[in-house]
Amino acid sequence: MTDVKAKEEEALITYLKELALERCRPAQRAYAECVRGRFVSVAWACRDSAGELNSCLSECTNKEALADLKERWLRAGKPSLAGARLDRFGYHERPLKLRELVNPSQSDSSK
């Protein structure tokens, strides 16, 4: 992956983290529900849900996931990552298809 500049890699890592947060939303909700109304007891009462959230985030942001995203991004011709965040939040100033970098099966069904 020598074709990826440091700035580009930073942007890919940021994008990967955003995707991980989306994918781990059920674990986030479970943890949020567990901690609601607790203070000190969070440490032991929510240990399992915190572990599940951590595992999910770690799985989605590991070196293999980053390498896969880099490879897909390079194959797609290095589309703008700034536009990816705009597209993610519903702004369509630049029509990009970065979602297919992460989940190619979804892009096939949207054509």
Side-chain angles (χ1 to χ4, degrees), residues 45-62:
C46 302
R47 182 175 288 148
D48 291 341
S49 59
E52 289 172 16
L53 177 57
N54 189 37
S55 294
C56 181
L57 292 171
S58 295
E59 183 179 310
C60 293
T61 58
N62 62 25

Side-chain angles (χ1 to χ4, degrees), residues 13-14 19 40 56 69 71 103:
I13 290 169
T14 299
L19 292 168
V40 177
C56 181
L69 182 61
E71 181 183 328
N103 194 348

Side-chain angles (χ1 to χ4, degrees), residues 32-53:
E33 187 63 34
C34 182
V35 300
R36 185 171 293 137
R38 297 181 191 271
F39 186 65
V40 177
S41 65
V42 169
W44 61 85
C46 302
R47 182 175 288 148
D48 291 341
S49 59
E52 289 172 16
L53 177 57

Side-chain angles (χ1 to χ4, degrees), residues 76 79 87 94-102 107 110-111:
D87 186 51
R94 298 181 198 161
L96 297 175
K97 295 185 179 177
L98 279 183
R99 292 253 176 231
E100 63 192 53
L101 293 176
V102 179
S107 65
S110 66
K111 289 181 181 178

Side-chain angles (χ1 to χ4, degrees), residues 52-92:
E52 289 172 16
L53 177 57
N54 189 37
S55 294
C56 181
L57 292 171
S58 295
E59 183 179 310
C60 293
T61 58
N62 62 25
K63 289 180 183 179
E64 292 82 17
L66 179 59
D68 183 55
L69 182 61
K70 281 182 191 179
E71 181 183 328
R72 291 171 189 246
W73 183 69
L74 287 170
R75 276 190 276 143
K78 293 184 166 185
S80 170
L81 292 168
R85 283 188 284 285
L86 289 173
D87 186 51
R88 176 180 180 269
F89 292 109
Y91 299 100
H92 301 288

